[in-house]
Amino acid sequence: MRNVAQRIPEEKIEEIRQALDIVDVVSEYVQLKKQGRNFVGLCPFHGEKTPSFSVSPDKQLYHCFGCGAGGNAFSFIMETEGISFIEAVEKLASQTNVSLPELETEARRKPELSDKMKHWYEGHKFAAKLYHHILTVSDEGREAREYLRKRGFTKEMIDHFQIGYAPNSWDFLSQFLKKRSFKMDEMAECGLVGLRESDGQPYDRFRDRIMFPIWDRRGNMIAFGGRVLNEGHPKYLNSPESEVFNKSENLYFFHQARPSIRKKNEAVLFEGYVDVISSWRAGIDNGIGGLGTALTENQAKMIRRNADKVILCYDSDEAGMNATYKNARILQNTGAEVVIASLPEGYDPDDYIQKHGPKRFLQDVISNYMTFTAFKFRYYRRGKNLQYEGDRLNYIEQMVNAVSQLPRAVERDYYLRQLADEFSLSLEALKQEQTEVIKSQQKKQKRQVYQAVQTKSLNVAKKMLSAHENAERELIALMLQSRSIAEQVQKEVGGEFHYDAYQAIAALIYSYYGEGYEPDPSHFIERIEDKHLRKITTELAMKKVNIDLSEQELNDYLKQLRQFPKRKEIEQLKIKQKKAEEVAEYKEAALIAMEIVKINKELKEQ
């Protein structure tokens, strides 16, 4: 895991590890729930609807039984943040009282990458401060200040979200960046300025716009959204995508809202940043927003890992209804409970707050949400004239299909009665129709389950462990938890593990205890450089083992290791015997059979 050239003292790394609880570290990224001695949640490294990601506070390890990812707090930060071991150590050290000496970090060893990223973030921070200054205290920002004041933006809101104003100038920002020695090609690369094709000179991308900084989930400022103040198109303009800004991987104000989302186990999703800011004034501190594109699966997973419930609050126009329906389905596919906060026609959240005030918005819109099924009653009506028989039957069919997918019988009955009352239909007829739909869905599900079982059975068959491999795995798992067992195994069989991976892990365990360490899987895994070995070790360390097993049980495992060469020899002799019989070499076959009997006798005597 570590680079051998790194100069962080071993005792410092151990001090950081001891000061942390892996549950606290992982909880910043994954919503965990207690399950027995461990905590479980949705794996952050692959898509899943049911939790297979386990965190052990006792062993200070995590392991996903779905994708196999595993490790300790350092490896979790490395994998989640995409950073080096040294950077992970430094990041986790900042969460403790452990101070680190000056280091030759990976950032210093790769200045061409790290310096550029640093300049990108610094450029955005500088631009945000400049824009904010222009908006709040300069004459050039007076008109923008007045506009925001009329829209109900308070000084507290402007300061909290660091809102600013970009003057109507082609070189206002670029000149300031130049004077402070920022490289224009780097600033163009991260989207802060543009470069003219004619002469390569920089120009400001944002002009005469109210500026909204955009952060990544770690709190780095990575882009801007600009709303035009006077005439101009488009009304809203985001920074272009770059290495630091990917719209499909980020959500507006997620870094600040996440603690509240986790605490409330609920997120409120808006279409954009203005709605997030306006709702914050209404006391909604768990609000997040899209960035001008449809919700992606990655964004949905980001939300789901932090909350079980999502309230969707989009505009009430056609586009808003379509976005609500589409995004609700994406969120539902992650296993989230999705409800809809409905706005009156012609309103967006900001408009509603301006007219009716924050209190009404909180009470009448956000708190007065409807289920996704209730929303479908409205959504499927669009474009239909229910006076016409064809449209009416089509609508009823859509709703029966939607209601049939609900898991609870009480919910299905509730919505069918609603449908029956609205169209004066027989409840029995609707239930009969629903039964047919459910039967059809069940047949489809059975086919899918059958195919999945067949695939899984095939995979399980491929992964079936021999008694010998199982013995080696059990011994490694026991050795990770018990020094005395490891010493006994070393004395009895030494390095006679016959699978390369287990042989390598056993050698590392012997070395670990040989250096005087006590059992500590989290500490041990930290010393393993090879990713494949680390993955296997984590999986085995998470196994439930009985370190108080009897001498007989331990000897049975050791016996499997000792007998393996002879059992392998028997397999090879049987192949030779069969070949001899096929070519009528019966004397040779008989001699081989006698050799097999002899070896089997030796095995019984061991």
Side-chain angles (χ1 to χ4, degrees):
M1 187 184 291
R2 307 179 199 179
N3 187 313
V4 293
Q6 63 93 6
R7 299 206 314 243
I8 303 177
E10 174 77 26
E11 59 271 17
K12 283 287 184 181
I13 296 171
E14 180 62 11
E15 195 178 344
I16 294 164
R17 196 177 62 81
Q18 292 288 348
L20 291 165
D21 184 345
I22 194 170
V23 175
D24 294 334
V25 174
V26 175
S27 290
E28 287 296 310
Y29 301 81
V30 180
Q31 185 183 10
L32 297 175
K33 292 182 180 177
K34 191 85 163 66
Q35 190 175 89
R37 295 179 68 88
N38 294 344
F39 289 80
V40 298
L42 296 173
C43 179
F45 306 115
H46 82 287
E48 60 179 15
K49 294 181 184 178
T50 53
S52 62
F53 183 81
S54 180
V55 181
S56 169
D58 296 338
K59 299 169 183 176
Q60 289 294 296
L61 295 173
Y62 68 90
H63 177 68
C64 176
F65 295 92
C67 70
N72 62 10
F74 295 120
S75 59
F76 180 82
I77 293 297
M78 287 168 66
E79 294 296 325
T80 308
E81 300 275 1
I83 59 179
S84 69
F85 174 73
I86 297 173
E87 289 169 322
V89 171
E90 290 179 316
K91 181 178 176 69
L92 290 175
S94 69
Q95 299 175 21
T96 70
N97 292 323
V98 181
S99 60
L100 292 173
E102 286 296 317
L103 301 166
E104 182 191 13
T105 64
E106 203 161 299
R108 292 192 182 104
R109 289 196 294 275
K110 296 183 180 177
E112 72 285 354
L113 173 65
S114 300
D115 286 351
K116 186 165 71 171
M117 292 287 283
K118 184 180 176 184
H119 295 159
W120 286 344
Y121 295 142
E122 286 178 349
H124 279 92
K125 282 177 71 175
F126 178 79
K129 287 180 180 178
L130 183 61
Y131 289 145
H132 186 68
H133 175 80
I134 295 299
L135 173 68
T136 53
V137 300
S138 77
D139 289 339
E140 291 167 295
R142 184 179 290 113
E143 186 181 355
R145 283 199 301 276
E146 185 61 22
Y147 170 82
L148 290 173
R149 189 187 64 78
K150 288 178 180 177
R151 294 291 300 178
F153 281 66
T154 63
K155 184 180 185 302
E156 185 184 15
M157 292 164 69
I158 290 169
D159 290 343
H160 187 73
F161 290 89
Q162 298 178 48
I163 302 168
Y165 172 67
N168 194 10
S169 164
W170 285 92
D171 62 358
F172 175 77
L173 176 63
S174 51
Q175 287 300 319
F176 267 83
L177 291 172
K178 263 186 178 181
K179 288 176 183 176
R180 280 150 184 81
S181 302
F182 284 96
K183 296 176 182 177
M184 289 300 101
D185 57 338
E186 287 185 350
M187 296 301 97
E189 198 175 346
C190 70
L192 262 182
V193 301
L195 297 177
R196 289 198 297 261
E197 289 185 14
S198 58
D199 57 8
Q201 289 301 304
Y203 65 88
D204 291 7
R205 286 185 177 276
F206 295 98
R207 301 175 300 278
D208 194 27
R209 288 181 180 272
I210 294 170
M211 302 297 288
F212 302 91
I214 297 169
W215 299 261
D216 65 16
R217 55 186 167 184
R218 292 183 289 274
N220 297 310
M221 203 173 287
I222 55 172
F224 287 97
R227 186 199 188 283
V228 68
L229 184 59
N230 294 300
E231 297 301 318
H233 293 284
K235 183 178 177 182
Y236 286 99
L237 177 68
N238 278 339
S239 296
E241 294 214 345
S242 66
E243 283 189 55
V244 291
F245 179 44
N246 184 333
K247 284 187 262 189
S248 65
E249 299 288 337
N250 291 282
L251 289 161
Y252 180 69
F253 221 58
F254 185 79
H255 72 298
Q256 285 274 18
R258 184 165 64 179
S260 179
I261 290 172
R262 294 179 60 77
K263 184 178 179 181
K264 295 177 179 178
N265 198 18
E266 175 184 282
V268 185
L269 181 60
F270 297 98
E271 282 190 82
Y273 24 81
V274 173
D275 294 334
V276 174
I277 296 167
S278 296
S279 69
W280 182 80
R281 184 168 57 134
I284 299 169
D285 56 1
N286 57 335
I288 51 180
L291 295 169
T293 55
L295 191 73
T296 65
E297 286 187 17
N298 285 340
Q299 289 171 323
K301 288 171 187 174
M302 273 175 63
I303 299 169
R304 177 66 182 91
R305 285 197 292 267
N306 291 275
D308 289 333
K309 182 177 177 181
V310 184
I311 302 173
L312 277 172
C313 186
Y314 284 10
D315 295 358
S316 57
D317 59 11
E318 181 74 8
M321 292 275 282
N322 286 329
T324 298
Y325 180 76
K326 181 180 178 182
N327 294 342
R329 294 185 67 181
I330 292 170
L331 285 161
Q332 269 197 339
N333 285 337
T334 67
E337 177 194 355
V338 183
V339 296
I340 316 299
S342 180
L343 286 156
E345 193 170 345
Y347 282 93
D348 63 23
D350 184 48
D351 293 332
Y352 190 94
I353 292 170
Q354 295 308 314
K355 184 165 183 181
H356 300 289
K359 189 176 180 181
R360 282 273 305 274
F361 177 71
L362 192 59
Q363 290 178 346
D364 299 346
V365 178
I366 298 299
S367 299
N368 191 32
Y369 55 74
M370 67 178 77
T371 66
F372 186 31
T373 303
F375 171 79
K376 289 177 181 177
F377 273 89
R378 298 184 185 183
Y379 183 74
Y380 288 144
R381 288 175 183 271
R382 297 167 313 105
K384 292 184 176 72
N385 185 338
L386 297 184
Q387 300 302 312
Y388 294 137
E389 184 178 333
D391 281 4
R392 192 160 63 249
L393 288 172
N394 179 255
Y395 170 72
I396 291 168
E397 182 183 0
Q398 284 181 302
M399 284 312 305
V400 170
N401 283 333
V403 171
S404 300
Q405 293 171 22
L406 295 171
R408 296 172 57 214
V410 171
E411 286 182 282
R412 296 197 296 270
D413 185 76
Y414 174 83
Y415 289 114
L416 282 186
R417 288 179 186 277
Q418 191 173 316
L419 202 59
D421 291 343
E422 183 177 2
F423 294 100
S424 301
L425 296 169
S426 160
L427 181 61
E428 287 68 28
L430 286 177
K431 285 188 174 181
Q432 188 176 345
E433 182 71 19
Q434 177 189 259
T435 301
E436 293 302 315
V437 172
I438 291 174
K439 281 182 181 178
S440 176
Q441 290 173 351
Q442 287 174 341
K443 282 181 182 178
K444 185 178 178 181
Q445 287 171 355
K446 280 180 182 178
R447 284 197 300 272
Q448 291 171 340
V449 168
Y450 176 76
Q451 290 170 354
V453 167
Q454 291 293 96
T455 304
K456 188 172 182 180
S457 298
L458 188 62
N459 291 336
V460 168
K462 288 178 182 176
K463 292 179 181 177
M464 282 290 285
L465 300 178
S466 65
H468 171 74
E469 183 177 357
N470 187 61
E472 291 200 359
R473 287 172 61 85
E474 288 296 324
L475 283 174
I476 294 291
L478 286 162
M479 290 160 65
L480 286 167
Q481 307 295 335
S482 168
R483 179 176 184 145
S484 62
I485 290 176
E487 288 172 346
Q488 187 173 345
V489 172
Q490 185 176 16
K491 180 182 176 183
E492 296 282 340
V493 297
E496 290 181 22
F497 285 78
H498 300 283
Y499 288 87
D500 291 345
Y502 306 139
Q503 188 180 69
I505 295 168
L508 290 169
I509 292 173
Y510 298 151
S511 173
Y512 180 74
Y513 289 133
E515 292 177 42
Y517 294 113
E518 291 302 314
D520 187 339
S522 176
H523 184 216
F524 174 71
I525 283 165
E526 191 181 301
R527 298 160 56 91
I528 301 176
E529 297 283 350
D530 185 276
K531 283 187 177 181
H532 179 62
L533 291 182
R534 196 160 65 239
K535 185 176 177 180
I536 294 171
T537 307
T538 305
E539 181 187 351
L540 295 177
M542 292 288 282
K543 280 174 66 72
K544 288 183 180 178
V545 292
N546 176 25
I547 59 173
D548 297 321
L549 79 170
S550 67
E551 192 72 23
Q552 181 60 50
E553 287 173 305
L554 181 59
N555 283 333
D556 286 343
Y557 290 136
L558 295 171
K559 188 176 179 181
Q560 285 287 344
L561 265 69
R562 292 193 198 96
Q563 292 185 344
F564 181 75
K566 289 187 181 294
R567 292 187 186 281
K568 199 75 177 172
E569 188 180 353
I570 289 172
E571 286 179 17
Q572 292 168 349
L573 286 170
K574 284 180 177 178
I575 293 169
K576 287 176 68 177
Q577 182 187 23
K578 187 176 180 182
K579 286 181 179 178
E581 289 171 346
E582 287 173 352
V583 294
E585 293 285 347
Y586 299 115
K587 186 177 180 181
E588 177 69 16
L591 289 171
I592 294 172
M594 290 173 65
E595 184 66 19
I596 291 172
V597 169
K598 179 186 173 185
I599 297 172
N600 272 321
K601 186 179 178 182
E602 290 173 356
L603 285 173
K604 288 179 182 177
E605 290 173 353
Q606 281 188 354

